[in-house]
Amino acid sequence: MRTLYVIPARGGSKGIPGKNIKPLAGKPLIAYSINVARLLASDCDICVSTDDPEIIATVEQMGLKVPFVRPTELATDNSGTYEVLLHALNHYEQQGIHYDRIVLLQPTSPFRTADDVCNCLKRYSSDIDMVVSVKRASANPYYNAFETDNNGFLQISKGDGNYTRRQDAPPVWEYNGAVYVINTDSLRKMPLSKFPRRVMCEMSESHSLDLDTPTDWLIAEAIIEKTSVKPH
């Protein structure tokens, strides 16, 4: 089963300007995802999809060739991951290279490890659409997530609200954005959000930090400085 590792990294980040190549603990952020991919695949099966010359230069300084420049229309604030992945897949198919699955590694998850990716790969089979990494959700619709009713009053989102302790409520999960293992046949048929056959793979809270805001970045720096949890 041939696997393409895709690391999407457009240049126009607004939450953290230039975040994909911003140094974290002495290395550009994107380096952590590249390093993890290199533990699992040859460089020829690793694709950094970017529109940005600085990102291209940074990646190629690491000895990894960027196979193409992402088209401008796929590098806007409104561009979707689905179209970016299809573009990468089509690039290789035009060269006669066919992949059975894509592993999507977003650069904003520097604490993700090769073992986390391997655990997701072990859950994958060709009869499902996607394995996605998750973490325990911070809010639980059975316990502390609410909606307003027709009168504007808060009501528990799900169930009868009889759970008085979080640990008694059914567990719920949220995507952590770290790992997606995607069936390429499914990808050609529909966007990721429409996949009916999704399987989760739990990751630890300490590996799940997603860097989206300046506060997230400060937290990452504090974790590196103050704890034994280090990005790879």
Side-chain angles (χ1 to χ4, degrees):
M1 188 176 295
R2 189 161 187 180
T3 305
L4 176 65
Y5 288 75
V6 177
I7 302 171
R10 73 182 183 90
S13 173
K14 292 183 177 177
I16 306 173
K19 69 179 175 184
N20 287 316
I21 54 175
K22 181 179 172 72
L24 178 67
K27 291 190 290 189
L29 181 62
I30 197 171
Y32 296 102
S33 294
I34 292 172
N35 289 344
V36 165
R38 279 177 154 170
L39 290 173
L40 301 168
S42 300
D43 282 5
C44 63
D45 294 322
I46 301 172
C47 171
V48 173
S49 172
T50 184
D51 63 308
D52 187 87
E54 288 188 82
I55 295 175
I56 292 172
T58 299
V59 171
E60 296 195 339
Q61 283 171 9
M62 295 181 63
L64 180 65
K65 181 172 176 54
V66 175
F68 53 76
V69 178
R70 191 195 302 181
T72 303
E73 63 270 19
L74 296 180
T76 69
D77 291 340
N78 298 320
S79 300
T81 302
Y82 172 64
E83 290 79 13
V84 170
L85 293 178
L86 276 182
H87 175 262
L89 195 61
N90 289 336
H91 168 82
Y92 289 99
E93 289 188 341
Q94 288 169 7
Q95 300 179 45
I97 305 171
H98 303 282
Y99 288 97
D100 303 293
R101 61 188 181 184
I102 287 175
V103 173
L104 169 62
L105 302 177
Q106 300 190 114
T108 49
S109 297
F111 296 99
R112 171 224 303 117
T113 67
D115 284 343
D116 292 324
V117 180
C118 286
N119 288 336
C120 290
L121 289 168
K122 290 174 184 175
R123 299 295 310 275
Y124 180 83
S125 62
S126 58
D127 60 347
I128 64 175
D129 300 316
M130 178 171 69
V131 177
V132 59
S133 60
V134 301
K135 65 176 182 176
R136 290 268 182 155
S138 56
N140 191 316
Y142 294 94
Y143 177 68
N144 64 344
F146 298 86
E147 301 174 15
T148 53
D149 62 18
N150 292 334
N151 297 313
F153 298 125
L154 286 175
Q155 303 293 339
I156 195 73
S157 290
K158 192 175 180 69
D160 52 20
N162 287 334
Y163 296 102
T164 57
R165 301 191 312 162
R166 173 187 284 274
Q167 56 265 43
D168 294 332
V172 294
W173 316 91
E174 61 181 281
Y175 286 13
N176 66 2
V179 186
Y180 302 79
V181 183
I182 302 162
N183 186 320
T184 57
D185 286 338
S186 301
L187 186 69
R188 293 186 189 95
K189 296 174 184 175
M190 68 191 87
L192 282 65
S193 61
K194 303 294 185 182
F195 285 170
R197 303 171 298 174
R198 286 174 278 181
V199 175
M200 75 173 200
C201 184
E202 185 179 4
M203 276 174 55
S204 68
E205 183 74 26
S206 62
H207 290 185
S208 294
L209 180 62
D210 180 60
L211 306 189
D212 189 50
T213 68
T215 299
D216 296 330
W217 195 277
L218 291 174
I219 292 170
E221 291 180 326
I223 290 171
I224 294 167
E225 181 181 354
K226 303 294 185 182
T227 76
S228 60
V229 178
K230 306 296 182 186
H232 298 270

